[in-house]
Amino acid sequence: MSNLPFPRLNPQVLADDGDELTFCSTCAFSQACLSHGMDKSALRELHVLVEHVGPYHAGDRIFAEGDPFEAIAAVRAGTVKTRMIDRDGHEHVLGFYFPGEVVGLSAIDGHRYPCDAIALDTVMLCRFSFPKISVLATRVPGIQAELFRLLSRDIGRATQLAGDWSSDQRVAAFLIGMSRRLSARGFSATRFQLTMARTDIANYLRLAPETVSRVLRRMQNVGLLVVDRREVELLDLVRIEALAAPIRRV
Amino acid sequence: MSNLPFPRLNPQVLADDGDELTFCSTCAFSQACLSHGMDKSALRELHVLVEHVGPYHAGDRIFAEGDPFEAIAAVRAGTVKTRMIDRDGHEHVLGFYFPGEVVGLSAIDGHRYPCDAIALDTVMLCRFSFPKISVLATRVPGIQAELFRLLSRDIGRATQLAGDWSSDQRVAAFLIGMSRRLSARGFSATRFQLTMARTDIANYLRLAPETVSRVLRRMQNVGLLVVDRREVELLDLVRIEALAAPIRRV
DNA sequence: CGAACACTTGACAGCCCTCAACGTGAGTGG
DNA sequence: CCACTCACGTTGAGGGCTGTCAAGTGTTCG
């Protein structure tokens, strides 16, 4: 069931594990709700809107390129990658999404998903019908503002990736990005698991898998980090950030 | 006056050249207004919101990186480029904006413009205060939907650029993109002016200016197009589209 | 235990960048 | 009207980075 197309999925609704007022603390919208002092009725409306779906397992397709766009989803657990397959059969990874981040926003224009979304491990989602959350956004300015912000941020991310950077810079920026996003959610900033394959990283950074291997090896040799299979420890965050700096702060 | 930072600009308000009900036909929002059967009072509100600013002249800076974000702007005439200067002094061109297109959306997240906006020729703008249009969007669903759509489209554009494509593919996709965007506004699809310098095209496509020159020359030699300085005529749209296809339709 | 897969390492080649020189058209001032 | 300047664009030669191809290693799973 869990590899049916996401929009048509007859959702496997999970037991509700958040009460109406605290809502999911990992949700991308929680900050908007709390910081804007959203009133209880608005919060309740948002809470009614959400469907908890999952679990998806590694390799499951959450939605497919070409599916009609109906919903966006906040990741509650696990990692999601979005990717396109071009007509030459090459995979282009567009992004990785960690808990608290929202996937599917690029489908608004065109009314169809422009890419596949694939679970990299066990994934739980909060699904929001886009027509419904749009209507809610007209009544709750905090929701609208958060949607605008999330969309705008994705433009910035895609733009960073588009620059012509060296392989060292790309890998460094990728590691710093993961470090910051994970630490923002309470995980360690210096030691974490790469939940994606080398090939996924390579297709995301527009490098060959061999190049990713070589760069990581080189960084380990000069003492920047230690990498063992999919486990990474960043030893010299300052120098890695310096490498990534032209990308992350252009 | 016209090279003052855009958000702080004391706008040189132009004579209003559209009546309230037809509004600017070149405006990015006109389609949203008309197709959604926006009522007259809503249209009047949008019309009151807009400030016609300009003209800016070639090289003028419309807004600067780091300026506080206050407004988005629809291009009414001319061409705008957005760009960043990295710490090594290299320019990264993020996008070109033609009449009817909206610039400034990527500044929503962060509340500051992440890039400069530069006029490439004589530019006229419709400026919309973002806080005000956000409020209006809560009352007029068509406006909200149009903003969502524009934001989402920019993600798609940035994503296309991020792929690892050959120089031929990049230049072909650039030409096809210009052709489609200009023809959608009523201009010729096969013969148009490149309003930007070779260096701008190169910095946009992440190529060296010399490479852009060589690719255009090669395309002319095989009969795909004719290029003379900044004037281009596309002779074989089908084959150019075939080159660009992996990018434009991944 | 064997097979499939992910990852690593090495050799080589190709694409594109860099550096350099030259050509050309627009604007300026005499 | 002409010479000059300068930015822009083109063309050529050479080199570096990264992709491609190939083989080898280690791990997981049936």
Side-chain angles (χ1 to χ4, degrees):
Chain A
M1 170 195 296
S2 57
N3 56 2
L4 287 177
F6 171 66
R8 301 181 191 122
L9 182 63
N10 194 343
Q12 173 185 351
V13 179
L14 300 176
D16 185 353
D17 57 352
D19 71 73
E20 289 190 355
L21 296 185
T22 58
F23 209 54
C24 312
S25 64
T26 57
C27 175
F29 295 100
S30 63
Q31 193 187 2
C33 303
L34 300 174
S35 63
H36 292 80
M38 187 173 298
D39 63 39
K40 294 179 180 177
S41 66
L43 205 54
R44 193 148 34 224
E45 286 186 277
L46 185 60
H47 195 224
V48 167
L49 203 58
V50 70
E51 293 174 84
H52 291 185
V53 295
Y56 296 89
H57 301 104
D60 285 352
R61 188 152 62 176
I62 295 168
F63 55 74
E65 182 181 344
D67 283 349
F69 169 65
E70 291 167 7
I72 58 178
V75 177
R76 292 186 59 230
T79 313
V80 175
K81 83 169 174 186
T82 50
R83 66 106 188 267
M84 296 163 136
I85 308 285
D86 70 22
R87 53 186 55 184
D88 300 331
H90 296 118
E91 177 182 61
H92 296 253
V93 174
L94 307 183
F96 300 108
Y97 298 85
F98 302 120
E101 303 181 331
V102 174
V103 60
L105 293 168
S106 61
I108 296 173
D109 182 42
H111 306 293
R112 292 186 176 275
Y113 293 99
C115 56
D116 301 316
I118 310 285
L120 293 182
D121 45 16
T122 301
V123 168
M124 312 283 248
L125 299 177
C126 289
R127 181 186 190 273
F128 296 86
S129 154
F130 190 71
K132 287 181 184 172
I133 203 174
S134 293
V135 170
L136 182 57
T138 62
R139 290 207 306 281
V140 185
I143 300 278
Q144 189 195 69
E146 186 66 9
L147 285 170
F148 283 149
R149 202 181 62 77
L150 289 171
L151 277 156
S152 177
R153 191 171 64 180
D154 276 11
I155 298 175
R157 289 219 177 123
T159 299
Q160 284 177 348
L161 196 62
D164 56 341
W165 312 107
S166 72
S167 56
D168 286 354
Q169 289 173 317
R170 286 179 184 274
V171 172
F174 172 74
L175 293 171
I176 295 298
M178 274 203 71
S179 166
R180 294 206 185 145
R181 288 156 76 185
L182 290 173
S183 67
R185 304 288 165 180
F187 300 98
S188 166
T190 57
R191 193 185 185 94
F192 48 84
Q193 291 279 333
L194 301 173
T195 46
M196 65 294 292
R198 294 284 188 280
T199 302
D200 290 330
I201 300 175
N203 288 343
Y204 175 67
L205 297 177
R206 287 73 177 109
L207 298 170
E210 295 91 332
T211 302
V212 175
S213 251
R214 278 186 260 262
V215 171
L216 288 175
R217 172 66 53 194
R218 201 158 54 230
M219 287 181 171
Q220 175 164 308
N221 288 344
V222 297
L224 289 180
L225 51 78
V226 177
V227 56
D228 176 39
R229 303 185 48 73
R230 296 201 177 174
E231 188 160 347
V232 179
E233 181 172 6
L234 307 182
L235 298 178
D236 194 337
L237 216 48
V238 173
R239 274 163 67 205
I240 300 176
E241 277 173 342
L243 269 175
I247 303 184
R248 302 199 53 83
R249 168 74 201 105
V250 176
Chain B
M1 170 195 298
S2 57
N3 56 3
L4 287 178
F6 169 66
R8 302 181 190 121
L9 180 63
N10 193 343
Q12 171 184 353
V13 179
L14 300 175
D16 185 354
D17 57 352
D19 70 73
E20 287 190 357
L21 297 185
T22 59
F23 210 53
C24 313
S25 63
T26 56
C27 175
F29 294 101
S30 63
Q31 193 186 1
C33 302
L34 300 174
S35 63
H36 292 77
M38 188 174 297
D39 63 40
K40 294 179 181 178
S41 66
L43 206 53
R44 193 148 32 225
E45 287 187 277
L46 185 60
H47 196 223
V48 167
L49 204 58
V50 69
E51 294 175 85
H52 290 187
V53 295
Y56 296 89
H57 301 103
D60 285 352
R61 189 152 61 176
I62 295 167
F63 55 74
E65 183 182 344
D67 283 349
F69 169 65
E70 292 167 6
I72 59 178
V75 177
R76 292 186 58 231
T79 312
V80 175
K81 83 169 174 187
T82 50
R83 67 107 190 267
M84 296 164 136
I85 308 286
D86 71 22
R87 54 186 56 185
D88 300 331
H90 296 118
E91 177 183 62
H92 296 252
V93 174
L94 307 183
F96 299 108
Y97 298 85
F98 301 119
E101 302 181 331
V102 174
V103 59
L105 293 167
S106 60
I108 297 173
D109 181 42
H111 305 294
R112 292 186 176 276
Y113 293 99
C115 55
D116 300 317
I118 310 285
L120 293 182
D121 45 17
T122 302
V123 167
M124 312 282 246
L125 298 178
C126 288
R127 180 185 191 274
F128 295 87
S129 154
F130 190 73
K132 288 180 184 172
I133 202 173
S134 294
V135 170
L136 182 58
T138 62
R139 289 207 307 281
V140 186
I143 300 276
Q144 188 196 69
E146 185 66 9
L147 285 169
F148 283 149
R149 203 180 61 77
L150 290 170
L151 277 156
S152 177
R153 191 170 63 180
D154 276 10
I155 298 175
R157 288 218 178 125
T159 299
Q160 285 178 347
L161 197 61
D164 57 341
W165 312 107
S166 71
S167 57
D168 286 356
Q169 290 174 317
R170 285 178 185 274
V171 172
F174 173 74
L175 293 171
I176 295 298
M178 275 203 71
S179 166
R180 295 207 184 146
R181 289 157 74 185
L182 291 173
S183 67
R185 303 288 165 182
F187 300 98
S188 167
T190 56
R191 193 185 184 96
F192 48 85
Q193 292 278 336
L194 301 173
T195 45
M196 65 293 291
R198 293 285 188 279
T199 302
D200 291 330
I201 300 175
N203 288 343
Y204 176 66
L205 297 177
R206 287 74 178 110
L207 297 171
E210 297 91 331
T211 302
V212 174
S213 250
R214 278 186 259 262
V215 170
L216 288 175
R217 171 67 52 196
R218 201 159 53 231
M219 287 182 171
Q220 175 165 309
N221 289 343
V222 298
L224 289 180
L225 52 77
V226 177
V227 55
D228 177 40
R229 303 184 48 74
R230 297 202 176 175
E231 186 159 348
V232 179
E233 181 172 6
L234 308 183
L235 298 178
D236 194 337
L237 216 48
V238 173
R239 275 162 67 204
I240 300 176
E241 278 173 342
L243 270 175
I247 303 184
R248 300 198 55 80
R249 168 75 201 103
V250 175

